Amino acid sequence: MANNAVQKSEPQEGHDRISEQCASTEARKAKEIGVEETRKQKELQFKASHTLFICFLLWIFSLQGIGIYFFTKGFLLTRLVLENKSNCAFPPGESYQHNSGSYSEGCWHPKTFSKAVVIIIDALRYDFTIPYYDDDAQHFHNAMTVLYETAIQTPRDAFLLPFIADPPTTTLQRLKGLTTGTLPTFVDSGSNFAGTAIEEDNLVAQLRDAGKTMVHLGDDTWQALFPGYFDANLTHAYDSFNVWDLHTVDNGVTEHIIPLLSPSEIDKWDVVFGHYLGVDHAGHQYGPNHPAMASKLKQMDDVLREIIALLGPDTLLVVMGDHGMDAKGDHGGESDDEVEAALWMYSKKGIFGREQDKLIEPPRTAKERPVAQIDLVPSLSLLLGLPIPFNNLGAPISEAFVGPGRPDWQNLATVNALTAAQIHRYQHDYSTARNQDESLFSIPLALWRNASGIWLEAIGPTGNADKVRASFSAFSQYQKQTLGIFKSLWAIFDIPSMLLGIGILAFTILILAIYARSTTRGRVHFTPIYLGKVGSFGIIGAIAGGMVLSQSIDMTVFDACLLGFVAGGITGFSFAAAHLKQSHSIPIPDDFWGWLSFVFTLGQAIGFASNSYTIWEDEILLFFLGTFATVSIVSSTRQTLFTDRVLGITQSTIFILLTRLSSFSRLCREEQMPTCRSTYYASSTSSTSAPWQLLIPLAVALFLPSFIKSYYQWTRSYEGSAVFWIGFAFRMGLLGSAVFWTLNSAESGGWISVDSGILKTVNSTLAQLVLAVAFAAGTTTFVWAKPCIRIEVSSASKSRPEPQTLANPKALIVLGYANVHGSRYFLLVVNWALAITLLQKPMGSGAVSLLTLQILALVEIIDTNNLSSSAIGPVILGLLGNFHFFKTGHQATPSSIQWDSAFIPLKTIIYPWSPLLIVLNTFGAQILTTVAVPLVVLWKQSPKKRGLLEDVTRAIATNGLYYAVINLATSMWAGWLRRHLMLYRIFSPRFMVGAAVLMVVDLVGVFIALGGVRWNFLSVAEVFGWE
């Protein structure tokens, strides 16, 4: 029985063991399911918090954009465009007409020419056309001699004068002035490469109304300004933006204009507009003092001689520059070299003259006998028998109407009287449209009455030559005085709009300060409350603004909705902040580093009130960065651990050396001369790199990846994706960039005998490959890569070599654990550094590489001094971004924009890529430092540390706070100094740079930096779990 019992119990025990194993398995599965659900819940919480942080920062971005909009709307000058059109049958006054009123004989004045060829040689500076006999002649001297020769040898056929442009000296604004006869306002400058059709009365529209057949050849800007005006079969427009192409446009214009002058083609057209771009592009690419410029000017000289030979007797030939260029070949500002263009008129009729015989020789400098570019409009209109465009403010050019031999004062006085009468008509209608008191024009009106009285006497029975000449002088004085009044009138700022913009920007800074610096923890819980309030109040405010404000004050519905949205959002934030006040503190610094950040930011902001400070901003930033590094050395000596002291002192010293080395890259602005020496290009008058500078990208490719590798090796993080991406892909991309710039210089300098088209194709393809590595492959790698770690298994006890047992377990060693977040996130910085390096000139690539190393040195300083939660890291990154803006060959001037960067990977303009390439080139330093902001929090942090996402958001907001203060300061000082002599040369461009940088870094901070952190956290959590 016992045996049976035993025999019966064995199955029972087996059953019990199986039950226990099943229960254990089920418990393990339940635990795993619970762990997985917890993991998914924490991941969902992370993604929700991340999305909320992005939404809040985007709301801040919208407030800043609206603030900039309102300030810009009041600051950048505008004028009212009248829709009135001059009519051939209705001259401005009966006493001036010649009783024709027909296009065949001339509307308001007898027609002199039936046809015209108008040649614009873009950027033809006046001194390009004047002989120079000294030994220090530059390449642009004596290359284009035909204009001066004909003016001297046949003064009745030709004259040459300085042709002064009104700033801004960009092609679009100059073409508007050259065809309408009115002044451009600064607000038009932003549309230089997105021209819209001219709706106001203009010379081209008058030609069309007269039934003239017009042909356009060259710069396609004309097609945007005058769509449908030109004969489609004879017109040939070319891309105007590719500054690396010196020949396509010019050869195309010449190819088509010469046949049009042949007897078989002459009857097919009435007016030809030919716009050459080679001189301008040679200036942008090489500068004026370069053999390529001499070659281009010689080509223009040959073309003009050929046109002169083919010109008919009834055809007027006009050659002009729309603006000049500075010593580097750039333009856009208001320096003398940029506004001093050339004007030359030629005809075989022999009708031109001078007021005095001694004025036959063209002026030796542009300071003598200059004519305004708006003077071309009434001159061409009257010579071609057209009405003067209604909005014209220019005066007839005397040399075109005074006649050969003895001056014809009667004709000169008549054309000036006609022009003055049209200006008087415009002034009256403008004042009426603006509801302005005509007392504003009391002085010009008095001059008008005086000039009219003298004119009536001059044409009356008692008239004589002296009275005719006196009337000419009186009408000229009236025109100049009226022009001056309109210049001052269009310089009236909308102060309420400016103050509104400044107020919005100031409130935004206060909100950012509260959000970023008033508390160290709790944003995960505060942000939903803030968003709920600002969202609901903002929507209500926008609706109320559109319905109420637009009716009660002089404001458009759009502006009223924007203002209501801002007011509602700020109100909602205020309510939320009041509700959470116990969790917040006053956002003022509470330690030395916080105060140092405050001093750096405020010191720079206050300095923008000084024009000399603004001019030398790069030197001020150099001082601030050097001060920070010096203070960090002192701070590092006080660290407890010896390794921290050594590392802090070493990295601070490296930071100082890199900053000083970066300072040798310099592009001087005009106001810094002669105490500043440019090193960014081959010389201060060049836009090309010196041959030795081509070694810089090569050195970057050889050494930068190795230096980055050394930082990774300190924390044993040079593992996983870092090995391939930094050691190979990044190096190959930098090497491709070095090859690109070498081939580019070879093409420009003609070093190798390879077709330029083939070379450009190879080069652009190479650039596209580098950008593909940086953005396509780089982004893919960053998103899907595992952390930069390696896991090793080793014996827990090295002293006993026995076989592994439960009593002698093995240990997991995670190489790279100490910097798992930072090492992986820095791969994103590497991607952007590669792209930005390619888009800079060789000297700029060196500056970007030094900036990359400075970022690594900075985060080491931040870590050794335990400053990851301080404002100093994000602020220093902001200072570095602005500092290297200057070190990459930029200044706060329109002429320093490197437009040719749009064609590094492209052969023609492609939207939106071409503008984005220019943004990456111009603001590359600020973009790179903004992408690096999360590193001040993530570098050498444990993957299990709590609150990292919140700390990253705080750092990004602090970095944005720095740029917001700079933008507010530049806006305030530009508004306050709006009557300053240097407003449009210094303060206004700096405001524009500040506003553009703020918008760019806001978007980069939200979508690239904070967006990149999302993928970084997901990758790390996949290995180490969520905390």
Side-chain angles (χ1 to χ4, degrees), residues 622-652:
L622 175 63
F623 171 76
F624 284 164
L625 293 171
T627 301
F628 161 75
T630 303
V631 172
S632 67
I633 289 177
V634 176
S635 176
S636 298
T637 62
R638 303 171 64 183
Q639 299 304 309
T640 304
L641 296 176
F642 175 75
T643 54
D644 284 347
R645 290 199 299 272
V646 172
L647 185 60
I649 293 172
T650 303
Q651 293 305 313
S652 299

Short mmCIF file of all heavy atoms in Angstrom, two decimals, residues 622-652:
data_model
loop_
_atom_site.label_atom_id
_atom_site.label_comp_id
_atom_site.label_asym_id
_atom_site.label_seq_id
_atom_site.Cartn_x
_atom_site.Cartn_y
_atom_site.Cartn_z
N LEU A 622 33.72 89.62 -29.28
CA LEU A 622 35.00 88.98 -28.98
C LEU A 622 35.39 89.23 -27.52
O LEU A 622 35.86 88.32 -26.82
CB LEU A 622 36.08 89.52 -29.92
CG LEU A 622 37.51 89.04 -29.68
CD1 LEU A 622 37.62 87.54 -29.88
CD2 LEU A 622 38.48 89.77 -30.62
N PHE A 623 35.17 90.45 -27.05
CA PHE A 623 35.47 90.78 -25.66
C PHE A 623 34.59 89.99 -24.70
O PHE A 623 35.07 89.44 -23.69
CB PHE A 623 35.29 92.29 -25.43
CG PHE A 623 35.38 92.70 -23.99
CD1 PHE A 623 36.61 92.78 -23.36
CD2 PHE A 623 34.23 93.01 -23.27
CE1 PHE A 623 36.69 93.15 -22.02
CE2 PHE A 623 34.31 93.38 -21.95
CZ PHE A 623 35.54 93.45 -21.32
N PHE A 624 33.30 89.91 -24.98
CA PHE A 624 32.38 89.17 -24.10
C PHE A 624 32.78 87.69 -24.02
O PHE A 624 32.79 87.10 -22.93
CB PHE A 624 30.95 89.29 -24.61
CG PHE A 624 30.30 90.61 -24.33
CD1 PHE A 624 29.15 90.99 -24.99
CD2 PHE A 624 30.84 91.49 -23.41
CE1 PHE A 624 28.53 92.21 -24.74
CE2 PHE A 624 30.24 92.71 -23.14
CZ PHE A 624 29.08 93.07 -23.81
N LEU A 625 33.08 87.09 -25.16
CA LEU A 625 33.45 85.67 -25.17
C LEU A 625 34.76 85.44 -24.44
O LEU A 625 34.92 84.44 -23.71
CB LEU A 625 33.55 85.17 -26.61
CG LEU A 625 32.22 85.13 -27.39
CD1 LEU A 625 32.46 84.82 -28.86
CD2 LEU A 625 31.28 84.09 -26.79
N GLY A 626 35.71 86.34 -24.63
CA GLY A 626 36.97 86.22 -23.90
C GLY A 626 36.78 86.37 -22.40
O GLY A 626 37.41 85.67 -21.60
N THR A 627 35.89 87.28 -22.02
CA THR A 627 35.59 87.46 -20.59
C THR A 627 34.99 86.20 -19.99
O THR A 627 35.37 85.77 -18.89
CB THR A 627 34.61 88.64 -20.40
OG1 THR A 627 35.20 89.82 -20.94
CG2 THR A 627 34.29 88.84 -18.94
N PHE A 628 34.04 85.58 -20.70
CA PHE A 628 33.43 84.35 -20.21
C PHE A 628 34.48 83.27 -20.01
O PHE A 628 34.51 82.59 -18.97
CB PHE A 628 32.37 83.86 -21.18
CG PHE A 628 32.01 82.41 -21.01
CD1 PHE A 628 31.22 82.01 -19.94
CD2 PHE A 628 32.48 81.44 -21.89
CE1 PHE A 628 30.90 80.67 -19.76
CE2 PHE A 628 32.16 80.11 -21.71
CZ PHE A 628 31.37 79.72 -20.65
N ALA A 629 35.35 83.08 -20.99
CA ALA A 629 36.36 82.03 -20.88
C ALA A 629 37.32 82.30 -19.73
O ALA A 629 37.72 81.37 -19.02
CB ALA A 629 37.12 81.91 -22.20
N THR A 630 37.70 83.56 -19.53
CA THR A 630 38.59 83.90 -18.42
C THR A 630 37.93 83.60 -17.08
O THR A 630 38.55 83.03 -16.18
CB THR A 630 38.97 85.38 -18.51
OG1 THR A 630 39.57 85.66 -19.78
CG2 THR A 630 39.94 85.75 -17.40
N VAL A 631 36.66 83.98 -16.95
CA VAL A 631 35.93 83.71 -15.71
C VAL A 631 35.79 82.21 -15.49
O VAL A 631 35.91 81.72 -14.35
CB VAL A 631 34.55 84.40 -15.75
CG1 VAL A 631 33.70 83.96 -14.56
CG2 VAL A 631 34.70 85.91 -15.75
N SER A 632 35.58 81.46 -16.55
CA SER A 632 35.43 80.01 -16.41
C SER A 632 36.73 79.35 -15.98
O SER A 632 36.71 78.32 -15.27
CB SER A 632 34.91 79.39 -17.71
OG SER A 632 35.86 79.49 -18.74
N ILE A 633 37.87 79.92 -16.38
CA ILE A 633 39.15 79.40 -15.90
C ILE A 633 39.25 79.56 -14.39
O ILE A 633 39.61 78.62 -13.66
CB ILE A 633 40.32 80.11 -16.60
CG1 ILE A 633 40.41 79.69 -18.08
CG2 ILE A 633 41.65 79.80 -15.89
CD1 ILE A 633 41.48 80.41 -18.85
N VAL A 634 38.90 80.75 -13.93
CA VAL A 634 38.94 81.01 -12.49
C VAL A 634 37.97 80.08 -11.75
O VAL A 634 38.30 79.49 -10.71
CB VAL A 634 38.59 82.48 -12.19
CG1 VAL A 634 38.54 82.73 -10.68
CG2 VAL A 634 39.60 83.41 -12.85
N SER A 635 36.78 79.91 -12.31
CA SER A 635 35.79 79.04 -11.68
C SER A 635 36.26 77.60 -11.65
O SER A 635 36.03 76.87 -10.66
CB SER A 635 34.45 79.15 -12.42
OG SER A 635 33.51 78.25 -11.91
N SER A 636 36.93 77.17 -12.71
CA SER A 636 37.39 75.78 -12.78
C SER A 636 38.44 75.48 -11.73
O SER A 636 38.54 74.34 -11.24
CB SER A 636 37.94 75.47 -14.18
OG SER A 636 36.92 75.62 -15.16
N THR A 637 39.25 76.46 -11.38
CA THR A 637 40.28 76.23 -10.35
C THR A 637 39.67 75.97 -8.98
O THR A 637 40.36 75.48 -8.08
CB THR A 637 41.22 77.44 -10.27
OG1 THR A 637 40.45 78.60 -9.88
CG2 THR A 637 41.90 77.70 -11.60
N ARG A 638 38.40 76.28 -8.81
CA ARG A 638 37.75 76.13 -7.51
C ARG A 638 36.93 74.84 -7.43
O ARG A 638 36.23 74.62 -6.43
CB ARG A 638 36.85 77.34 -7.25
CG ARG A 638 37.61 78.67 -7.31
CD ARG A 638 36.68 79.86 -7.26
NE ARG A 638 35.96 79.93 -6.00
CZ ARG A 638 35.02 80.84 -5.73
NH1 ARG A 638 34.71 81.75 -6.63
NH2 ARG A 638 34.41 80.82 -4.55
N GLN A 639 37.00 74.01 -8.45
CA GLN A 639 36.25 72.75 -8.42
C GLN A 639 36.91 71.77 -7.45
O GLN A 639 38.13 71.77 -7.25
CB GLN A 639 36.17 72.15 -9.81
CG GLN A 639 35.46 73.02 -10.83
CD GLN A 639 34.06 73.40 -10.38
OE1 GLN A 639 33.27 72.54 -10.00
NE2 GLN A 639 33.77 74.70 -10.39
N THR A 640 36.09 70.90 -6.88
CA THR A 640 36.57 69.98 -5.85
C THR A 640 37.45 68.88 -6.44
O THR A 640 38.56 68.62 -5.96
CB THR A 640 35.38 69.35 -5.11
OG1 THR A 640 34.57 70.38 -4.56
CG2 THR A 640 35.86 68.43 -4.00
N LEU A 641 36.97 68.26 -7.50
CA LEU A 641 37.70 67.16 -8.10
C LEU A 641 38.85 67.67 -8.96
O LEU A 641 38.71 68.63 -9.72
CB LEU A 641 36.77 66.30 -8.95
CG LEU A 641 35.64 65.57 -8.19
CD1 LEU A 641 34.75 64.84 -9.17
CD2 LEU A 641 36.22 64.62 -7.14
N PHE A 642 39.99 66.99 -8.86
CA PHE A 642 41.16 67.36 -9.64
C PHE A 642 40.90 67.25 -11.14
O PHE A 642 41.29 68.11 -11.93
CB PHE A 642 42.35 66.48 -9.25
CG PHE A 642 43.57 66.72 -10.09
CD1 PHE A 642 44.37 67.85 -9.92
CD2 PHE A 642 43.92 65.81 -11.09
CE1 PHE A 642 45.48 68.07 -10.72
CE2 PHE A 642 45.03 66.03 -11.88
CZ PHE A 642 45.82 67.16 -11.69
N THR A 643 40.19 66.18 -11.53
CA THR A 643 39.90 66.00 -12.96
C THR A 643 39.01 67.11 -13.49
O THR A 643 39.18 67.56 -14.63
CB THR A 643 39.21 64.64 -13.18
OG1 THR A 643 38.06 64.55 -12.32
CG2 THR A 643 40.16 63.49 -12.88
N ASP A 644 38.06 67.57 -12.68
CA ASP A 644 37.21 68.68 -13.10
C ASP A 644 38.01 69.97 -13.24
O ASP A 644 37.77 70.77 -14.16
CB ASP A 644 36.07 68.88 -12.10
CG ASP A 644 34.98 67.84 -12.24
OD1 ASP A 644 34.99 67.14 -13.26
OD2 ASP A 644 34.13 67.73 -11.33
N ARG A 645 38.96 70.18 -12.32
CA ARG A 645 39.79 71.38 -12.41
C ARG A 645 40.62 71.37 -13.69
O ARG A 645 40.67 72.36 -14.43
CB ARG A 645 40.70 71.48 -11.19
CG ARG A 645 39.98 71.80 -9.90
CD ARG A 645 40.94 72.33 -8.85
NE ARG A 645 41.97 71.36 -8.50
CZ ARG A 645 41.86 70.43 -7.56
NH1 ARG A 645 40.74 70.34 -6.87
NH2 ARG A 645 42.86 69.59 -7.30
N VAL A 646 41.25 70.26 -13.96
CA VAL A 646 42.10 70.17 -15.15
C VAL A 646 41.27 70.30 -16.42
O VAL A 646 41.62 71.05 -17.34
CB VAL A 646 42.86 68.83 -15.15
CG1 VAL A 646 43.60 68.64 -16.48
CG2 VAL A 646 43.83 68.77 -13.99
N LEU A 647 40.15 69.58 -16.47
CA LEU A 647 39.31 69.62 -17.67
C LEU A 647 38.73 71.02 -17.88
O LEU A 647 38.70 71.53 -19.00
CB LEU A 647 38.19 68.59 -17.55
CG LEU A 647 37.29 68.41 -18.78
CD1 LEU A 647 38.12 67.98 -19.98
CD2 LEU A 647 36.19 67.40 -18.51
N GLY A 648 38.26 71.66 -16.80
CA GLY A 648 37.68 72.99 -16.93
C GLY A 648 38.70 74.02 -17.39
O GLY A 648 38.42 74.83 -18.28
N ILE A 649 39.90 73.98 -16.82
CA ILE A 649 40.94 74.94 -17.22
C ILE A 649 41.37 74.68 -18.65
O ILE A 649 41.54 75.62 -19.45
CB ILE A 649 42.14 74.83 -16.26
CG1 ILE A 649 41.75 75.31 -14.86
CG2 ILE A 649 43.32 75.64 -16.78
CD1 ILE A 649 42.81 75.05 -13.80
N THR A 650 41.52 73.40 -19.00
CA THR A 650 41.94 73.06 -20.37
C THR A 650 40.92 73.52 -21.39
O THR A 650 41.27 74.17 -22.40
CB THR A 650 42.15 71.55 -20.49
OG1 THR A 650 43.12 71.13 -19.53
CG2 THR A 650 42.63 71.18 -21.89
N GLN A 651 39.66 73.21 -21.17
CA GLN A 651 38.63 73.56 -22.14
C GLN A 651 38.40 75.07 -22.21
O GLN A 651 38.11 75.61 -23.28
CB GLN A 651 37.33 72.84 -21.81
CG GLN A 651 37.40 71.33 -21.96
CD GLN A 651 37.85 70.91 -23.35
OE1 GLN A 651 37.35 71.41 -24.35
NE2 GLN A 651 38.82 70.01 -23.42
N SER A 652 38.53 75.76 -21.09
CA SER A 652 38.40 77.22 -21.11
C SER A 652 39.53 77.86 -21.91
O SER A 652 39.32 78.82 -22.66
CB SER A 652 38.39 77.77 -19.68
OG SER A 652 37.31 77.24 -18.94
#
